[in-house]
Amino acid sequence: MDFGCGTGRDLEILAKRFDCVGVDLHPGLVDYAHRVRPGLDIRTGDMRTVRLRRHMDAVTCLGNSLAYLYDNDEISQAFTTFAVHARPDALLVLCSPVAPVIRPEPARAVVGTPEGPARVTIDYEWDLRTQVNTMHRRRVLASGVVAQDEIRRRVLFPRELEH
Ligand SMILES: C[S@@+](CC[C@H](N)C(=O)[O-])C[C@H]1O[C@@H](n2cnc3c(N)ncnc32)[C@H](O)[C@@H]1O
């Protein structure tokens, strides 16, 4: 069972050897997964609340999906979901940040886009109280157009994960 499976990138590999189910919050990503990876069992659902009445030998939550839950109650709910879908002695595999990214200076790079090279600046912010690490990305496209976004990820320290 892969929670927060997105477009099914990892599920496609796992499903070659195992009976797998993927769950993601965003119907658009699930629709895309159905189109590009037909045959995979991918459903729309929220890892805080979904109940599939399936019990698996392994539960995964990869690619930082857990880091998009910010408060402790939501995180506890997700762990309850993982437990509810796990057989005794099941394996839980998480890929989630356990330390913030803190950089004294923004990282700068030039990346290729269909419209030509874009200059990218990446900056990080760390809020110790909320344990949220925010990545700010600013891209200046060849046309001069500026595109910005930010990604907020909740850091779970190792002791919290043990809990
Ligand atoms: C960075 S993507 C990773 C996707 C996939 N695991 C991968 O590695 O390619 C994070 C995913 O978490 C999903 N997500 C966020 N909150 C969720 C929730 N409460 N329940 C289920 N999926 C969630 C998002 O829709 C998104 O697809």
Side-chain angles (χ1 to χ4, degrees):
M1 190 89 68
D2 188 24
F3 291 101
C5 68
T7 59
R9 182 187 61 158
D10 295 306
L11 209 65
E12 181 176 36
I13 299 164
L14 293 168
K16 290 194 169 112
R17 294 190 51 192
F18 306 106
D19 175 22
C20 295
V21 181
V23 174
D24 199 273
L25 186 63
H26 284 291
L29 289 180
V30 173
D31 284 350
Y32 178 85
H34 288 158
R35 266 187 285 122
V36 299
R37 301 191 167 102
L40 293 182
D41 183 349
I42 297 186
R43 309 168 189 199
T44 302
D46 187 329
M47 70 172 100
R48 292 167 290 191
T49 53
V50 70
R51 296 291 180 266
L52 298 179
R53 298 173 197 278
R54 297 281 307 268
H55 303 95
M56 309 300 256
D57 293 320
V59 171
T60 58
C61 185
L62 307 171
N64 296 332
S65 299
L66 186 61
Y68 299 101
L69 301 183
Y70 302 102
D71 74 57
N72 290 338
D73 290 342
E74 291 181 306
I75 294 163
S76 294
Q77 283 180 300
F79 276 92
T80 300
T81 301
F82 300 159
V84 161
H85 295 90
R87 290 197 180 122
D89 295 327
L91 184 67
L92 172 63
V93 182
L94 301 175
C95 173
S96 209
V98 292
V101 180
I102 301 172
R103 291 207 180 117
E105 294 292 329
R108 296 175 204 284
V110 176
V111 298
T113 77
E115 297 146 35
R119 282 179 288 120
V120 185
T121 309
I122 301 178
D123 216 351
Y124 287 90
E125 210 182 307
W126 169 235
D127 184 329
L128 181 60
R129 193 184 73 78
T130 59
Q131 294 179 212
V132 173
N133 197 196
T134 306
M135 178 173 74
H136 300 276
R137 283 189 300 200
R138 186 170 190 274
R139 304 171 189 83
V140 183
L141 306 179
S143 61
V145 169
V146 176
Q148 303 192 75
D149 64 7
E150 64 172 44
I151 299 180
R152 299 171 64 240
R153 296 190 184 103
R154 163 73 191 250
V155 171
L156 281 171
F157 293 117
R159 277 296 286 277
E160 293 179 282
L161 287 174
E162 283 174 32
H163 175 73

Short mmCIF file of all heavy atoms in Angstrom, two decimals, residues 82-103:
data_model
loop_
_atom_site.label_atom_id
_atom_site.label_comp_id
_atom_site.label_asym_id
_atom_site.label_seq_id
_atom_site.Cartn_x
_atom_site.Cartn_y
_atom_site.Cartn_z
N PHE A 82 -1.74 4.02 8.49
CA PHE A 82 -0.70 3.05 8.12
C PHE A 82 -0.91 1.75 8.91
O PHE A 82 -0.86 0.66 8.35
CB PHE A 82 0.71 3.59 8.42
CG PHE A 82 1.07 4.87 7.70
CD1 PHE A 82 2.10 5.69 8.18
CD2 PHE A 82 0.42 5.27 6.54
CE1 PHE A 82 2.45 6.87 7.53
CE2 PHE A 82 0.77 6.46 5.88
CZ PHE A 82 1.79 7.26 6.38
N ALA A 83 -1.16 1.91 10.22
CA ALA A 83 -1.30 0.72 11.08
C ALA A 83 -2.53 -0.10 10.69
O ALA A 83 -2.49 -1.34 10.68
CB ALA A 83 -1.39 1.16 12.54
N VAL A 84 -3.62 0.59 10.37
CA VAL A 84 -4.88 -0.10 10.05
C VAL A 84 -4.71 -0.98 8.79
O VAL A 84 -5.37 -2.00 8.65
CB VAL A 84 -6.00 0.96 9.84
CG1 VAL A 84 -7.18 0.41 9.06
CG2 VAL A 84 -6.45 1.53 11.18
N HIS A 85 -3.81 -0.56 7.88
CA HIS A 85 -3.64 -1.30 6.63
C HIS A 85 -2.45 -2.27 6.66
O HIS A 85 -2.09 -2.83 5.63
CB HIS A 85 -3.49 -0.32 5.46
CG HIS A 85 -4.73 0.47 5.24
ND1 HIS A 85 -4.96 1.68 5.85
CD2 HIS A 85 -5.85 0.20 4.53
CE1 HIS A 85 -6.15 2.13 5.50
NE2 HIS A 85 -6.71 1.26 4.71
N ALA A 86 -1.85 -2.42 7.84
CA ALA A 86 -0.66 -3.27 7.95
C ALA A 86 -1.00 -4.60 8.61
O ALA A 86 -1.73 -4.64 9.60
CB ALA A 86 0.40 -2.54 8.78
N ARG A 87 -0.46 -5.68 8.06
CA ARG A 87 -0.54 -6.98 8.74
C ARG A 87 0.45 -6.97 9.91
O ARG A 87 1.38 -6.16 9.92
CB ARG A 87 -0.14 -8.09 7.78
CG ARG A 87 -1.15 -8.31 6.70
CD ARG A 87 -0.94 -9.67 6.02
NE ARG A 87 -1.93 -9.83 4.99
CZ ARG A 87 -1.67 -10.03 3.71
NH1 ARG A 87 -0.42 -10.13 3.29
NH2 ARG A 87 -2.64 -10.13 2.83
N PRO A 88 0.30 -7.90 10.86
CA PRO A 88 1.31 -7.98 11.92
C PRO A 88 2.70 -8.17 11.29
O PRO A 88 2.84 -8.89 10.31
CB PRO A 88 0.90 -9.23 12.71
CG PRO A 88 -0.56 -9.38 12.43
CD PRO A 88 -0.80 -8.86 11.04
N ASP A 89 3.68 -7.49 11.84
CA ASP A 89 5.07 -7.54 11.35
C ASP A 89 5.27 -6.92 9.97
O ASP A 89 6.27 -7.18 9.30
CB ASP A 89 5.62 -8.98 11.34
CG ASP A 89 5.73 -9.53 12.75
OD1 ASP A 89 6.01 -8.74 13.67
OD2 ASP A 89 5.51 -10.74 12.92
N ALA A 90 4.32 -6.12 9.55
CA ALA A 90 4.49 -5.46 8.25
C ALA A 90 5.65 -4.47 8.30
O ALA A 90 6.04 -4.01 9.37
CB ALA A 90 3.20 -4.73 7.88
N LEU A 91 6.15 -4.18 7.11
CA LEU A 91 7.25 -3.22 6.98
C LEU A 91 6.66 -1.84 6.66
O LEU A 91 5.77 -1.74 5.80
CB LEU A 91 8.12 -3.68 5.82
CG LEU A 91 9.40 -2.93 5.50
CD1 LEU A 91 10.41 -3.10 6.63
CD2 LEU A 91 9.97 -3.46 4.18
N LEU A 92 7.14 -0.81 7.37
CA LEU A 92 6.71 0.56 7.06
C LEU A 92 7.92 1.29 6.47
O LEU A 92 8.98 1.36 7.11
CB LEU A 92 6.24 1.27 8.33
CG LEU A 92 5.94 2.77 8.20
CD1 LEU A 92 4.79 3.03 7.23
CD2 LEU A 92 5.60 3.37 9.57
N VAL A 93 7.78 1.80 5.26
CA VAL A 93 8.89 2.51 4.60
C VAL A 93 8.48 3.95 4.37
O VAL A 93 7.52 4.22 3.63
CB VAL A 93 9.26 1.85 3.26
CG1 VAL A 93 10.46 2.57 2.62
CG2 VAL A 93 9.56 0.37 3.44
N LEU A 94 9.18 4.86 5.03
CA LEU A 94 8.88 6.28 4.90
C LEU A 94 10.05 7.00 4.25
O LEU A 94 11.20 6.71 4.60
CB LEU A 94 8.66 6.92 6.28
CG LEU A 94 7.55 6.33 7.14
CD1 LEU A 94 7.57 7.00 8.51
CD2 LEU A 94 6.21 6.52 6.47
N CYS A 95 9.75 7.91 3.37
CA CYS A 95 10.79 8.80 2.84
C CYS A 95 10.30 10.21 3.09
O CYS A 95 9.36 10.68 2.43
CB CYS A 95 11.00 8.53 1.36
SG CYS A 95 12.11 9.70 0.62
N SER A 96 10.88 10.84 4.10
CA SER A 96 10.39 12.14 4.55
C SER A 96 11.55 12.87 5.21
O SER A 96 12.44 12.24 5.78
CB SER A 96 9.27 11.90 5.57
OG SER A 96 8.34 12.94 5.56
N PRO A 97 11.58 14.20 5.15
CA PRO A 97 12.73 14.90 5.72
C PRO A 97 12.82 14.75 7.23
O PRO A 97 11.82 14.89 7.94
CB PRO A 97 12.50 16.37 5.34
CG PRO A 97 11.14 16.47 4.78
CD PRO A 97 10.62 15.10 4.50
N VAL A 98 14.03 14.47 7.73
CA VAL A 98 14.27 14.35 9.17
C VAL A 98 15.16 15.47 9.69
O VAL A 98 15.56 15.48 10.85
CB VAL A 98 14.87 12.97 9.55
CG1 VAL A 98 13.86 11.86 9.32
CG2 VAL A 98 16.15 12.71 8.78
N ALA A 99 15.46 16.42 8.82
CA ALA A 99 16.25 17.60 9.20
C ALA A 99 15.92 18.69 8.19
O ALA A 99 15.65 18.39 7.02
CB ALA A 99 17.73 17.29 9.20
N PRO A 100 15.93 19.94 8.63
CA PRO A 100 15.63 21.01 7.66
C PRO A 100 16.81 21.29 6.74
O PRO A 100 17.96 21.02 7.10
CB PRO A 100 15.39 22.23 8.58
CG PRO A 100 16.19 21.95 9.80
CD PRO A 100 16.18 20.46 9.98
N VAL A 101 16.50 21.83 5.58
CA VAL A 101 17.55 22.36 4.72
C VAL A 101 17.72 23.82 5.10
O VAL A 101 16.75 24.59 5.08
CB VAL A 101 17.15 22.25 3.22
CG1 VAL A 101 18.26 22.80 2.34
CG2 VAL A 101 16.80 20.82 2.86
N ILE A 102 18.94 24.17 5.52
CA ILE A 102 19.22 25.56 5.90
C ILE A 102 20.45 25.99 5.12
O ILE A 102 21.50 25.35 5.22
CB ILE A 102 19.48 25.69 7.42
CG1 ILE A 102 18.27 25.20 8.21
CG2 ILE A 102 19.84 27.13 7.79
CD1 ILE A 102 18.51 25.10 9.71
N ARG A 103 20.29 27.03 4.32
CA ARG A 103 21.44 27.50 3.53
C ARG A 103 21.67 28.97 3.80
O ARG A 103 20.72 29.75 3.77
CB ARG A 103 21.16 27.34 2.03
CG ARG A 103 21.11 25.91 1.58
CD ARG A 103 21.50 25.84 0.10
NE ARG A 103 21.45 24.48 -0.36
CZ ARG A 103 20.62 24.04 -1.31
NH1 ARG A 103 19.80 24.89 -1.90
NH2 ARG A 103 20.64 22.79 -1.69
#
